[in-house]
Amino acid sequence: MAPPITLKVSSRIPKKPIKKLPTSVEVTDKTTVQDVKENLAKRAGGWDPNRFGLYEPEKRKLLKDRRALISQLESIVSGKEILVKDLGPQLSWTTVFLIEYSGPLFIHLLFPFVLRPYLYNLSLPYLPFSKSLPPLTTSQLLASAMIVLHFAKREYETLFIHRFSLATMPMFNIFKNSAHYWILSGVWMAYWIYGPTSPTALETPLTRNLDIVGLVLYLFGEISNFHTHVTLSKLRSPGGTERGIPKGYGFGLVTCPNYMFEMISWVGVLLVTRSGVAMLPFIVTAFVQMYFWAVKKEKALRAEFPKEYRRKRYAILPGIM
């Protein structure tokens, strides 16, 4: 076992120093990034270790792998210094996802089955249950079921499938993240789908055929997306942060087939709702965000596995982008 070394501890933002932050920390060849966080947090007066972001001194890059050995991080060992930043109050990724997905899940139950008479009965607002409001159509009921099941599936995956490399995220980010789901895929989408004048309220032989096609696409996308998430989860041990090269169903076509299959699923919902006003703001926003995530993932895989990884030409949609 190599003798311990002492690292200088500096604030990454000198103008915002962390109170009681130790000026040095001793590490061995078995000390991990998480060990340093816990050491500093304890000595600083009982901080949450996850509030501390550790950065290497040269490129000032965040050390994301909490299980990485400090002794193997050349820039830190050679410079004998580590930078620390207060990332603010933290929430676990599991908690974040559960909160994000719960919004649209409950909204698409409340709007059609509880709030609908109050929201759309404009002719007799003082009689919310007036007979003037037509019942939900098959398409509206189907759309509600599809959206609720989609987010219920996400909640299940959060609890039992996903394995996160980062333990937490800044607590205040949850408001920004939740707005996307609660507003765009929740309130906005629900209001336009379940109204009596919505395209989803029309029932014709054509709409019934679109319902069938949409449901088939939705089921294919959801099942394939779930399969992809299971494949990704197997790349990492429980509680681990290691990365692997994803292979198998869908990965030969694009970098992130889970995003591709999710878009197919939402196209299925679009066919059932037949409402661009309701669906496109969420679909376009989600697609743009997932595309940037996929490109970032492709770059990360190429950098980490330059020889082993088979480069993908397309990040999210084969033949397109």
Side-chain angles (χ1 to χ4, degrees), residues 300-315:
L301 287 169
R302 290 181 181 182
E304 188 164 357
F305 306 102
K307 296 181 179 180
E308 303 90 341
Y309 179 65
R310 180 185 174 186
R311 296 190 173 196
K312 305 296 189 303
R313 183 178 179 184
Y314 304 106

Side-chain angles (χ1 to χ4, degrees), residues 167-222:
T168 63
M169 67 169 280
M171 183 178 68
F172 296 108
N173 285 359
I174 196 170
F175 300 105
K176 175 188 67 176
N177 293 5
S178 293
H180 171 68
Y181 292 104
W182 286 58
I183 296 176
L184 284 184
S185 62
V187 174
W188 177 267
M189 195 183 291
Y191 180 81
W192 293 107
I193 290 174
Y194 306 117
T197 59
S198 167
T200 324
L202 299 175
E203 288 191 298
T204 67
L206 175 60
T207 63
R208 286 192 288 272
N209 290 335
L210 287 174
D211 285 349
I212 294 172
V213 175
L215 181 60
V216 170
L217 283 177
Y218 170 83
L219 291 174
F220 170 75
E222 291 292 312

Side-chain angles (χ1 to χ4, degrees), residues 42-112:
K42 183 178 180 180
R43 293 166 60 195
W47 282 56
D48 174 7
N50 293 313
R51 285 189 64 152
F52 286 165
L54 304 187
Y55 298 77
E56 53 92 9
E58 292 182 6
K59 297 182 179 180
R60 305 171 74 85
K61 184 178 179 181
L62 177 66
L63 305 177
K64 294 183 178 181
D65 187 352
R66 62 185 183 276
R67 291 195 171 185
L69 294 173
I70 297 294
S71 60
Q72 295 181 1
L73 302 175
E74 181 61 30
S75 62
I76 292 177
V77 175
S78 61
K80 292 188 176 182
E81 182 182 19
I82 194 164
L83 306 181
V84 184
K85 177 184 176 182
D86 178 12
L87 301 177
Q90 302 287 300
L91 281 177
S92 73
W93 276 98
T94 298
T95 301
V96 169
F97 282 164
L98 290 177
I99 292 174
E100 289 177 359
Y101 303 150
S102 66
L105 192 158
F106 289 111
I107 287 169
H108 283 275
L109 290 173
L110 288 174
F111 265 65

